[in-house]
Each structure stands twice: as C-alpha cells, then as structure tokens.
Amino acid sequence: MQSPTVNAGDDITSCGNSTINLIQATTTASTTVLWSTSGTGTFENPNILNAVYIPGSEDVLNGSVILTITASGAAACNPDQDAVTIQFVPAPEIFAGNDSEICNNSAFTLNEANGMNYNSVIWMHNGTGTLLNADSIHPTYVPASGESGEIILIASVNGNSPCGTATDSIRISLVPAVTANAGTDINS
C-alpha cells in the first residue's frame, strides 16, 4: 500500500486581488485532497487538486497568504501535506484629474493627477498642441495657436511585475480667449 504524496507547486507572485489558479499541484496515491488557507480568501472548490483561490482583502493587505493542500489515501496511510506561498503585489492605480475648461491661450498642468504602485507613466493626447513632460505624473498641455474644442489626455501607468497597466483620462475643453478691441485711437 503506497502512502499519498502531494506537491502544492512553486510559490506564486500575484497582482492585486487576482484569482489564483493552482495549476502546479500534483499528487500520487491519494483519494481525496483538501485545500486550506492561512488567510481570509476562499476556494471555488477546496476538494479538487487544481483549485482556484479567491484572495480576501486581508490577504492582499498582509502581502501574502499560505495555501496548504492535504492529500489522503488509504485509511492505513498517513496523509501528506504541502504548502504554497502567494505574494501579492499591489495593482497600479492612476487618477488623471477632473475634467476642466481653460482658455485656448493658456497652458494646463495636470496638478490633480496622482498614481500609486507604478514604475513609469506616459501621457498621450488627441490635440494639436504640445504635451510637456509626458513621462511625469504632472505634465503640462500647451494648446496650439487657435486650437479649440475638447482635448482628451490619457495617462497610462505600468505596474510593478507581475502587474500590467492602468489608465485614466481627462477631458479639457479649450474655449477661445476673450479679446478686446477699443478701435483706433482718435486724436483730437
């Protein structure tokens, strides 16, 4: 009679609160398996070998969780256990700012923009003007001469590995600047 063996797989690094597919787990000579967690998350089905884990908010806040699998076999044999550690990397976040209206002869610095958990940022726009410091969190848009209408600026931040990108946008309405003309000078 062979005792059961189980391997939970390699430790995993996950982005934010993404679900974890435990596809590396293997077992031999087992008739049942049961997954358990040191955290607050849940399993879609804790009784299957390649379970799916849904992290709880405390798991992500704590930065890691340990998932343990127990494999049982014949009644005369002791069960086997193994564990896998899941490390959580915070997901990137970006806020481009609130939509705004400016005169078309004024530059606009995106001072409200902010982000978290990213390693680089790039801004893009659909206007004909110039975007200064497009690789900083607070770039400045300088409208082209006579430019008017609505401009959309899109911020994209790259998250820390293994996270991807996050984006947000802001609309800037360019209104014509007020001009005054009192007419020609009159000499009396």
Side-chain angles (χ1 to χ4, degrees), residues 19-39:
T19 58
I20 311 296
N21 295 306
L22 299 162
I23 60 174
Q24 293 181 349
T26 59
T27 186
T28 59
S30 66
T31 54
T32 62
V33 296
L34 178 63
W35 284 95
S36 60
T37 176
S38 66

Side-chain angles (χ1 to χ4, degrees), residues 100-155:
S100 297
E101 181 178 277
I102 64 169
C103 289
N104 66 350
N105 65 351
S106 300
F108 181 79
T109 300
L110 289 113
N111 289 322
E112 291 181 346
N114 64 68
M116 293 176 21
N117 311 316
Y118 68 94
N119 57 41
S120 65
V121 60
I122 190 72
W123 288 82
M124 298 165 283
H125 65 93
N126 68 344
T128 57
T130 304
L131 190 61
L132 306 173
N133 302 313
D135 60 353
S136 75
I137 195 70
H138 302 287
T140 299
Y141 185 76
V142 181
S145 178
E147 184 176 13
S148 63
E150 189 173 86
I151 307 302
I152 299 173
L153 292 116
I154 301 168

Side-chain angles (χ1 to χ4, degrees), residues 31-133:
T31 54
T32 62
V33 296
L34 178 63
W35 284 95
S36 60
T37 176
S38 66
T40 59
T42 59
F43 293 92
E44 286 183 0
N45 181 348
N47 299 307
I48 61 173
L49 180 63
N50 299 122
V52 174
Y53 183 70
I54 303 162
S57 58
E58 292 296 316
D59 296 344
V60 177
L61 286 174
N62 291 334
S64 67
V65 67
I66 297 172
L67 306 180
T68 303
I69 185 171
T70 303
S72 301
C77 299
N78 289 327
D80 190 29
Q81 281 190 339
D82 194 29
V84 59
T85 300
I86 312 298
Q87 298 287 334
F88 297 100
V89 174
E93 298 176 31
I94 182 68
F95 173 67
N98 293 307
D99 294 349
S100 297
E101 181 178 277
I102 64 169
C103 289
N104 66 350
N105 65 351
S106 300
F108 181 79
T109 300
L110 289 113
N111 289 322
E112 291 181 346
N114 64 68
M116 293 176 21
N117 311 316
Y118 68 94
N119 57 41
S120 65
V121 60
I122 190 72
W123 288 82
M124 298 165 283
H125 65 93
N126 68 344
T128 57
T130 304
L131 190 61
L132 306 173
N133 302 313

